[in-house]
Amino acid sequence: MILRRTLTTAAVLVTSAVSAVAVSGSAYANTGPGYTEFCTQPFAKAGGACFYSDNDSFKLTDNYADGLRSVLRWELGDRAKKGTPGYIIRRGECHNTLGANKTIVCDYDFPEGKLNGTSRYLVHFKVESQDGPSGRPVYYVGGPIGYVSGR
């Protein structure tokens, strides 16, 4: 009888501890409702970038001390115009000139809206490293497609 109570108590304590870790833990810092992160490969020679749908911003990191700048190139697509020449409605660039292991944030204001229950607007982005403001790309890493507003 004492052994049964001890085993039952131990099982309840282990279950409670596992539940507490599962509920309180998060894969990313500063996450919350509406927060979605879309990222390239983090340690690519070109650099690494993430798009944050909760505030329409990119973080761009230069990964290597190679004398090259990391450049984020993005395009904003409107899914309501998919398959037409007007699908891409905006383009932009963000240049990290701070050097190796430095990160910058580039903020934008993208339109929001829904189409068929999900975000109407998509962000396509990639990171390239280049020599100077208009140099030819040396390294390249493609990014995922991110949903504006994360939905």
Side-chain angles (χ1 to χ4, degrees), residues 2-146:
I2 294 175
L3 180 60
R4 177 181 262 170
R5 271 191 229 146
T6 304
L7 291 176
T8 302
T9 302
V12 169
L13 290 173
V14 168
T15 303
S16 297
V18 169
S19 297
V21 169
V23 170
S24 66
S26 176
Y28 301 101
N30 301 322
T31 60
Y35 175 91
T36 307
E37 176 183 67
F38 302 92
C39 297
T40 65
Q41 297 170 350
F43 303 110
K45 287 278 282 184
C50 290
F51 171 68
Y52 297 90
S53 67
D54 61 331
N55 61 3
D56 299 341
S57 69
F58 291 93
K59 282 187 181 176
L60 174 60
T61 303
D62 186 340
N63 291 330
Y64 292 95
D66 54 10
L68 303 172
R69 67 176 58 197
S70 290
V71 179
L72 170 83
R73 290 188 169 79
W74 58 266
E75 295 178 328
L76 181 67
D78 181 349
R79 291 189 325 127
K81 298 179 179 184
K82 190 155 180 120
T84 69
Y87 170 69
I88 301 299
I89 59 173
R90 279 175 65 188
R91 288 182 167 87
E93 290 184 1
C94 173
H95 291 244
N96 184 344
T97 60
L98 299 179
N101 302 312
K102 303 289 186 205
T103 300
I104 63 168
V105 176
C106 300
D107 288 313
Y108 298 95
D109 187 16
F110 295 140
E112 296 180 8
K114 294 212 180 269
L115 181 67
N116 299 325
T118 188
S119 178
R120 176 177 170 173
Y121 301 96
L122 303 173
V123 176
H124 307 254
F125 63 98
K126 63 183 175 181
V127 178
E128 297 175 346
S129 61
Q130 66 188 42
D131 188 11
S134 57
R136 293 179 45 146
V138 178
Y139 302 109
Y140 161 87
V141 63
I145 296 174

